[in-house]
Amino acid sequence: MKLILSRIILMLCFTFSNAQDVVGIWKTIDDNTGEAKSHIEIFKKDGKVYGKIIKILNPEARDRVCSECEGEDKNIKILGMNIIKGLERDGNEYSGGTITDPENGKIYKSKIWLTEDNPNRLKVRGYVAFLYRTQEWIRLE
């Protein structure tokens, strides 16, 4: 009986911890137009969080490159590009890394966190000094 109860508790803890994690596939929603734009896979690598564009919803934009980007991202295809880089967990949010806007190539400091009322909603913020822009993404998987 103790063994069964222990396994149930362990399974519930595992399920709850995964449900509260930012790792997964997210649909991006443009904060200006309210339109869905892409799917981002958020994953962990070496203890940090990254996000890669895995699907662009507008067929006409699927072959675009980030011509305005600099460094290693200059002129690479936006589809497959890591736009979130190097975020680390800090309490209930992830911060300390960057997010790239592939529309204009600008890189911003970033932080992300799950909304308090719904773990399937992710707040994504890019900021410079005290100016910021926040989007809400929706979990697909």
Side-chain angles (χ1 to χ4, degrees), residues 70-110:
E70 296 182 6
E72 66 184 25
D73 293 333
K74 177 110 178 123
N75 292 323
I76 67 166
K77 285 186 74 166
I78 293 172
L79 184 61
M81 180 179 175
N82 283 328
I83 61 166
I84 296 174
K85 296 178 183 174
L87 299 179
E88 296 182 74
R89 188 173 198 134
D90 183 13
N92 291 331
E93 63 185 34
Y94 292 81
S95 61
T98 62
I99 189 166
T100 301
D101 183 343
E103 298 287 326
N104 59 27
K106 292 185 180 177
I107 299 172
Y108 302 93
K109 292 180 183 177
S110 182

Side-chain angles (χ1 to χ4, degrees), residues 25-137:
I25 309 291
W26 298 87
K27 178 170 51 172
T28 66
I29 307 296
D30 187 289
D31 52 315
N32 292 323
T33 66
E35 292 181 35
K37 295 191 82 171
S38 64
H39 294 174
I40 306 291
E41 178 185 13
I42 295 183
F43 60 96
K44 291 182 182 173
K45 179 181 172 189
D46 299 327
K48 295 185 179 186
V49 170
Y50 297 83
K52 177 196 297 190
I53 298 174
I54 60 169
K55 184 175 185 178
I56 296 174
L57 300 177
N58 177 355
E60 296 172 9
R62 289 185 184 147
D63 292 326
R64 290 189 45 222
V65 297
C66 193
S67 58
E68 300 295 320
C69 287
E70 296 182 6
E72 66 184 25
D73 293 333
K74 177 110 178 123
N75 292 323
I76 67 166
K77 285 186 74 166
I78 293 172
L79 184 61
M81 180 179 175
N82 283 328
I83 61 166
I84 296 174
K85 296 178 183 174
L87 299 179
E88 296 182 74
R89 188 173 198 134
D90 183 13
N92 291 331
E93 63 185 34
Y94 292 81
S95 61
T98 62
I99 189 166
T100 301
D101 183 343
E103 298 287 326
N104 59 27
K106 292 185 180 177
I107 299 172
Y108 302 93
K109 292 180 183 177
S110 182
K111 70 178 180 179
I112 62 175
W113 67 96
L114 297 171
T115 62
E116 290 180 24
D117 61 332
N118 187 344
N120 293 317
R121 302 277 179 166
L122 182 71
K123 295 287 187 172
V124 179
R125 179 170 290 169
Y127 58 96
V128 176
F130 61 90
L131 301 173
Y132 61 88
R133 179 174 159 193
T134 305
Q135 292 184 340
E136 188 171 277
W137 296 356

